[in-house]
Amino acid sequence: MKRTWLVGLAMCALVNCATVVPANACIGPDGKPVEGKDGLVTNCGGEVVETIGVKDAIELSTEAIDYGYLSEVGRTYTQTFTITNNASETIAVKVSAEKPSAEGIKDDSKLAADWIAFVGGIRYFEIPANSTKTVGMRVVVPADAKFGSQYVTVKVEDVTGETTKEIDVRLTVATEGVAFGGEVVKNNVAPVSLDDKVHAGITVKNSGNAGFAAVYSVRVTPRFGLQDWKEIKTEETKEVYPDSETEFAVTDEDPTVGYGMFTVEQKIVYVNSNGEQIEEVSTRTMLNLPIWAVAVAGGVVLAIILLVVILSIVKKAKANKEGEKPKSAIKEKKSKKEKKSKKDKKADESEKPEKEESGKESIEIQM
């Protein structure tokens, strides 16, 4: 009877565990199933079931919102964007309007963060699986607003704070006094490259009070009759903030071009001081060499320099050797001449007393 009771108790415990814990679940030290992180659930059998994590689940309809250049003081403007939940479960997100931290934006261009409100005052959203929510954003331009562009960053983040996505917003108060000032202040292409890449860039300055988007692209083509263009940088768009400079450049992440001689074409589209959209194209030639070729060329140049030095030394030594005999002959001749002059001097000195004595004798005779 006692043995039957123990067997029954064991059977009950086994049935209870089977109903509480999934058949393939891993059990941790605390006796509870172990769940994966960021949407991953791992089974004891080694199977990994991948689901969409929060980071990949949040999808925004845009990365930038432009209210345009017709905003007037005292008026209200509304824009919307959508948040999509691509996960298989409900997620909660919150939205906020904050001053942008991008370099180049002056503090007096960040006032729009105080002008934005969300429609209905709603800043918290629960989005079911595979669903989309529309967020309304209202901007009220105050009567004392400065003319020119204002910026704000709208942040969308899940309530856990693990994932944050941003939307850049521009609002230009353009009733009057708006001034653009786009100009290219730097345009460079490295004439020689040693790493199979193009090193090029353009810097655009905006001396006005209204921002604009500039578009940059780079293409290269081999020389020596080949005319097949290769686009190494597709169009890149950046905001050029008021009274600031924005740099566009080819980076290490862009494709390589190979070795040889190339024509590099840079194109930039911006807005000048007259409010006109300008497309500026510049073409430069560059030489892309492998390091070993530079090393060989350097060795050849060094060898030539050493050869020239050696030849110069040999020539000088030869000239010195040939010039030794004439110099010794001149020295010998000079010494002979000196000896002769000394003899002449002695002879003159010996003749001089005789002349003086003969002179004395003639004087005495006369007397």
Side-chain angles (χ1 to χ4, degrees):
M1 184 73 180
K2 187 175 182 180
R3 184 181 296 175
T4 305
W5 181 79
L6 290 173
V7 171
L9 185 62
M11 291 294 291
C12 289
L14 182 62
V15 171
N16 185 43
C17 291
T19 56
V20 173
V21 180
N24 294 324
C26 290
I27 305 300
D30 57 357
K32 296 181 180 180
V34 177
E35 296 182 359
K37 295 182 179 180
D38 198 18
L40 299 180
V41 179
T42 307
N43 294 329
C44 287
E47 179 185 0
V48 177
V49 180
E50 294 188 6
T51 59
I52 297 177
V54 176
K55 183 177 181 180
D56 298 321
I58 299 176
E59 181 182 340
L60 303 181
S61 59
T62 183
E63 294 181 352
I65 294 176
D66 186 1
Y67 275 83
Y69 298 106
L70 301 176
S71 304
E72 297 179 10
V73 295
R75 287 190 57 181
T76 300
Y77 298 86
T78 303
Q79 291 273 13
T80 61
F81 64 91
T82 61
I83 308 173
T84 301
N85 175 15
N86 294 317
S88 56
E89 59 183 10
T90 300
I91 61 173
V93 298
K94 57 183 179 180
V95 296
S96 61
E98 301 180 11
K99 291 183 178 181
S101 58
E103 294 182 3
I105 305 180
K106 293 181 175 288
D107 289 338
D108 58 0
S109 297
K110 302 177 183 179
L111 300 175
D114 300 326
W115 302 352
I116 285 186
F118 295 97
V119 176
I122 303 174
R123 300 178 59 181
Y124 176 87
F125 299 88
E126 288 189 357
I127 309 174
N130 300 310
S131 299
T132 298
K133 284 284 186 181
T134 299
V135 180
M137 196 168 53
R138 181 178 292 120
V139 174
V140 179
V141 182
D144 60 348
K146 290 184 178 181
F147 301 116
S149 293
Q150 301 292 337
Y151 297 89
V152 60
T153 296
V154 173
K155 287 188 176 181
V156 179
E157 55 186 334
D158 69 294
V159 292
T160 64
E162 294 181 359
T163 302
T164 302
K165 295 197 173 183
E166 297 181 350
I167 299 175
D168 297 322
V169 180
R170 176 176 65 188
L171 169 71
T172 303
V173 182
T175 306
E176 59 179 276
V178 169
F180 301 95
E183 62 175 324
V184 174
V185 294
K186 188 183 294 183
N187 185 341
N188 64 289
V189 174
V192 178
S193 177
L194 304 178
D195 57 3
D196 199 19
K197 289 183 175 293
V198 170
H199 297 278
I202 286 178
T203 301
V204 179
K205 181 180 180 180
N206 181 5
S207 56
N209 62 13
F212 56 84
V215 184
Y216 172 71
S217 63
V218 179
R219 295 192 302 171
V220 298
T221 186
R223 299 294 295 271
F224 311 114
L226 300 177
Q227 297 300 323
D228 294 330
W229 283 102
K230 180 178 180 182
E231 191 128 15
I232 64 169
K233 192 174 191 69
T234 55
E235 291 186 347
E236 176 188 18
T237 303
K238 286 185 181 181
E239 179 76 8
V240 185
Y241 300 113
D243 197 19
S244 69
E245 295 183 359
T246 300
E247 182 180 355
F248 299 83
V250 180
T251 65
D252 291 338
E253 298 175 358
D254 292 303
T256 59
V257 295
Y259 295 111
M261 184 175 288
F262 300 91
T263 298
V264 181
E265 180 192 80
Q266 293 188 100
K267 183 173 73 173
I268 187 76
V269 179
Y270 61 95
V271 180
N272 66 6
S273 57
N274 296 324
E276 302 169 339
Q277 184 169 290
I278 301 297
E279 180 179 301
E280 190 171 320
V281 179
S282 61
T283 303
R284 307 279 175 86
T285 300
M286 68 160 291
L287 184 64
N288 206 336
L289 297 174
I291 295 178
W292 63 264
V294 177
V296 170
V300 171
V301 172
L302 184 61
I304 292 173
I305 293 173
L306 288 174
L307 183 61
V308 171
V309 171
I310 291 171
L311 290 175
S312 177
I313 293 173
V314 170
K315 187 177 180 181
K316 189 174 181 180
K318 189 177 180 181
N320 290 338
K321 191 174 181 181
E322 291 177 351
E324 283 179 359
K325 290 181 180 180
K327 284 182 181 178
S328 58
I330 292 169
K331 198 177 275 187
E332 189 177 346
K333 189 176 181 182
K334 188 176 180 182
S335 60
K336 286 181 179 179
K337 190 174 182 181
E338 287 177 353
K339 286 180 181 179
K340 188 178 180 182
S341 61
K342 286 181 180 178
K343 286 181 180 180
D344 294 342
K345 192 174 181 181
K346 286 182 179 179
D348 292 342
E349 288 177 354
S350 59
E351 289 177 359
K352 190 175 182 181
E354 292 178 0
K355 287 182 179 179
E356 288 179 355
E357 288 177 4
S358 61
K360 286 180 181 178
E361 290 175 359
S362 62
I363 292 170
E364 289 176 357
I365 292 169
Q366 289 177 2
M367 289 178 67

